[in-house]
Protein backbone atom coordinates (compact mmCIF):
# COMPACT_ATOMS: atom_id res chain seq x y z
CA UNK A 1 0.00 0.00 0.00
CA UNK A 2 1.27 3.46 -0.90
CA UNK A 3 -0.30 6.61 0.44
CA UNK A 4 -0.43 9.42 -2.10
CA UNK A 5 -2.80 11.96 -0.50
CA UNK A 6 -2.94 13.52 2.95
CA UNK A 7 -6.63 12.63 3.11
CA UNK A 8 -5.80 8.92 2.73
CA UNK A 9 -3.28 9.18 5.56
CA UNK A 10 -5.75 11.08 7.76
CA UNK A 11 -8.36 8.36 7.17
CA UNK A 12 -5.85 5.69 8.14
CA UNK A 13 -4.83 7.58 11.27
CA UNK A 14 -8.50 8.04 12.23
CA UNK A 15 -8.95 4.28 11.79
CA UNK A 16 -6.29 3.76 14.46
CA UNK A 17 -8.73 5.03 17.11
CA UNK A 18 -9.53 2.10 19.36
CA UNK A 19 -7.08 -0.21 17.60
CA UNK A 20 -4.64 -1.88 19.96
CA UNK A 21 -1.00 -2.25 19.16
CA UNK A 22 2.36 -2.16 20.84
CA UNK A 23 4.77 0.67 21.50
CA UNK A 24 8.52 0.74 21.90
CA UNK A 25 9.61 -2.26 19.88
CA UNK A 26 7.16 -4.75 21.33
CA UNK A 27 6.31 -2.93 24.53
CA UNK A 28 3.00 -2.53 26.33
CA UNK A 29 -0.31 -2.57 24.43
CA UNK A 30 -1.60 0.91 23.56
CA UNK A 31 -4.39 2.60 21.65
CA UNK A 32 -2.61 3.33 18.37
CA UNK A 33 -4.45 6.61 17.76
CA UNK A 34 -3.67 8.05 21.19
CA UNK A 35 -0.11 6.79 21.09
CA UNK A 36 0.52 8.39 17.70
CA UNK A 37 -0.82 11.75 18.90
CA UNK A 38 1.17 11.61 22.12
CA UNK A 39 4.41 10.71 20.36
CA UNK A 40 3.97 13.52 17.83
CA UNK A 41 3.06 16.02 20.57
CA UNK A 42 6.20 15.17 22.54
CA UNK A 43 8.31 15.65 19.42
CA UNK A 44 6.58 18.97 18.72
CA UNK A 45 7.55 20.14 22.20
CA UNK A 46 11.14 18.95 22.07
CA UNK A 47 11.89 19.76 18.39
CA UNK A 48 9.35 22.41 17.26
CA UNK A 49 11.14 23.22 14.00
CA UNK A 50 11.51 19.62 12.83
CA UNK A 51 8.16 18.92 11.17
CA UNK A 52 9.38 15.73 9.47
CA UNK A 53 10.42 14.22 12.80
CA UNK A 54 7.05 15.14 14.30
CA UNK A 55 5.24 13.55 11.36
CA UNK A 56 7.35 10.40 11.73
CA UNK A 57 6.16 10.20 15.33
CA UNK A 58 2.57 10.62 14.19
CA UNK A 59 2.62 7.94 11.49
CA UNK A 60 4.93 5.34 13.07
CA UNK A 61 1.96 3.22 14.23
CA UNK A 62 0.24 2.84 10.85
CA UNK A 63 1.84 -0.50 9.95
CA UNK A 64 0.28 -2.14 12.99
CA UNK A 65 -3.17 -1.22 11.68
CA UNK A 66 -2.36 -2.40 8.16
CA UNK A 67 -1.08 -5.81 9.26
CA UNK A 68 -2.15 -6.45 12.88
CA UNK A 69 -1.60 -10.21 12.83
CA UNK A 70 2.06 -9.88 11.85
CA UNK A 71 4.16 -8.89 14.87
CA UNK A 72 7.20 -8.03 12.75
CA UNK A 73 7.81 -5.67 9.90
CA UNK A 74 5.42 -2.91 10.98
CA UNK A 75 8.08 -0.22 10.68
CA UNK A 76 9.05 -1.33 7.18
CA UNK A 77 5.40 -1.50 6.12
CA UNK A 78 4.76 2.00 7.44
CA UNK A 79 7.94 3.37 5.87
CA UNK A 80 7.01 1.97 2.46
CA UNK A 81 3.44 3.28 2.72
CA UNK A 82 4.37 6.87 3.61
CA UNK A 83 7.44 7.32 1.37
CA UNK A 84 5.53 8.54 -1.74
CA UNK A 85 3.61 11.10 0.29
CA UNK A 86 6.04 12.23 2.99
CA UNK A 87 9.46 11.53 1.50
CA UNK A 88 12.65 9.64 2.23
CA UNK A 89 13.50 11.26 5.56
CA UNK A 90 10.16 10.48 7.23
CA UNK A 91 10.23 6.99 5.73
CA UNK A 92 13.78 6.42 6.92
CA UNK A 93 13.08 7.64 10.45
CA UNK A 94 10.10 5.31 10.74
CA UNK A 95 12.07 2.37 9.35
CA UNK A 96 15.07 2.88 11.64
CA UNK A 97 12.80 3.48 14.63
CA UNK A 98 11.61 -0.10 14.27
CA UNK A 99 15.08 -1.64 14.25
CA UNK A 100 17.12 -2.64 17.26
CA UNK A 101 19.33 0.23 18.35
CA UNK A 102 23.02 0.18 17.54
CA UNK A 103 25.91 2.61 17.56
CA UNK A 104 25.07 3.87 14.05
CA UNK A 105 21.60 5.08 15.00
CA UNK A 106 21.32 8.81 14.46
CA UNK A 107 20.19 11.39 16.97
CA UNK A 108 16.82 11.89 15.25
CA UNK A 109 15.98 8.19 15.46
CA UNK A 110 16.95 8.15 19.14
CA UNK A 111 14.75 11.19 19.74
CA UNK A 112 11.85 9.42 18.02
CA UNK A 113 12.38 6.30 20.14
CA UNK A 114 12.51 8.36 23.34
CA UNK A 115 9.26 10.11 22.42
CA UNK A 116 7.70 6.71 21.62
CA UNK A 117 8.63 5.45 25.08
CA UNK A 118 7.63 8.68 26.85
CA UNK A 119 4.24 8.66 25.11
CA UNK A 120 3.25 5.75 27.34
CA UNK A 121 2.80 8.25 30.17
CA UNK A 122 -0.87 8.56 31.05
CA UNK A 123 -2.54 11.95 31.06
CA UNK A 124 -0.56 13.64 28.30
CA UNK A 125 -2.78 16.15 26.50
CA UNK A 126 -1.88 15.50 22.90
CA UNK A 127 -4.64 17.40 21.14
CA UNK A 128 -6.65 15.98 18.27
CA UNK A 129 -5.66 14.45 14.95
CA UNK A 130 -7.16 17.28 12.93
CA UNK A 131 -4.52 19.60 14.44
CA UNK A 132 -1.92 17.70 12.41
CA UNK A 133 -3.54 18.07 8.98
CA UNK A 134 -1.68 21.30 8.18
CA UNK A 135 1.67 19.84 9.23
CA UNK A 136 1.05 16.75 7.09
CA UNK A 137 0.13 18.97 4.14
CA UNK A 138 3.28 21.08 4.61
CA UNK A 139 5.57 18.05 4.71
CA UNK A 140 3.77 16.46 1.76
CA UNK A 141 3.95 19.67 -0.30
CA UNK A 142 7.64 20.12 0.53
CA UNK A 143 8.35 16.55 -0.52
CA UNK A 144 6.39 17.04 -3.76
CA UNK A 145 8.43 20.18 -4.59
CA UNK A 146 11.71 18.43 -3.82
CA UNK A 147 10.66 15.39 -5.86
CA UNK A 148 9.87 17.63 -8.84
CA UNK A 149 13.41 19.06 -8.71
CA UNK A 150 15.14 15.65 -8.61
Amino acid sequence: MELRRVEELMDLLHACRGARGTACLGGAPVDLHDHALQTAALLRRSRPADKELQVAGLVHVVGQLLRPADPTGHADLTADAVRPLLGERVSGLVRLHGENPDNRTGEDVLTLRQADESALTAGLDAGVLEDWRTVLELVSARHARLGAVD
Side-chain angles (χ1 to χ4, degrees):
M1 169 182 212
E2 289 185 352
L3 298 168
R4 300 223 176 252
R5 294 184 17 244
V6 170
E7 195 59 40
E8 292 172 343
L9 179 55
M10 289 293 290
D11 289 346
L12 194 54
L13 289 167
H14 277 293
C16 288
R17 183 178 297 281
R20 302 296 286 175
T22 58
C24 309
L25 294 172
V30 296
D31 178 284
L32 295 176
H33 180 268
D34 292 342
H35 183 69
L37 288 174
Q38 290 172 352
T39 303
L42 287 167
L43 291 164
R44 179 181 273 174
R45 291 174 188 166
S46 67
R47 303 273 290 275
D50 194 343
K51 303 302 183 206
E52 290 178 335
L53 181 60
Q54 295 166 26
V55 166
L58 183 66
V59 303
H60 80 281
V61 300
V62 168
Q64 293 184 59
L65 183 70
L66 295 173
R67 200 179 299 153
D70 181 5
T72 61
H74 292 140
D76 289 337
L77 183 61
T78 303
D80 292 342
V82 302
R83 182 184 302 109
L85 180 64
L86 302 174
E88 287 297 326
R89 180 164 181 250
V90 173
S91 175
L93 288 168
V94 169
R95 186 179 313 280
L96 290 172
H97 162 268
E99 294 179 0
N100 289 324
D102 61 24
N103 292 333
R104 298 171 306 187
T105 302
E107 179 183 341
D108 293 343
V109 174
L110 294 175
T111 301
L112 177 56
R113 284 190 185 136
Q114 289 169 347
D116 185 17
E117 292 172 11
S118 296
L120 298 173
T121 304
L124 176 65
D125 180 13
V128 296
L129 182 57
E130 200 57 38
D131 294 341
W132 289 94
R133 181 182 298 274
T134 302
V135 177
L136 289 169
E137 289 170 347
L138 287 170
V139 171
S140 175
R142 180 173 181 266
H143 169 66
R145 282 194 308 274
L146 290 175
V149 172
D150 291 347

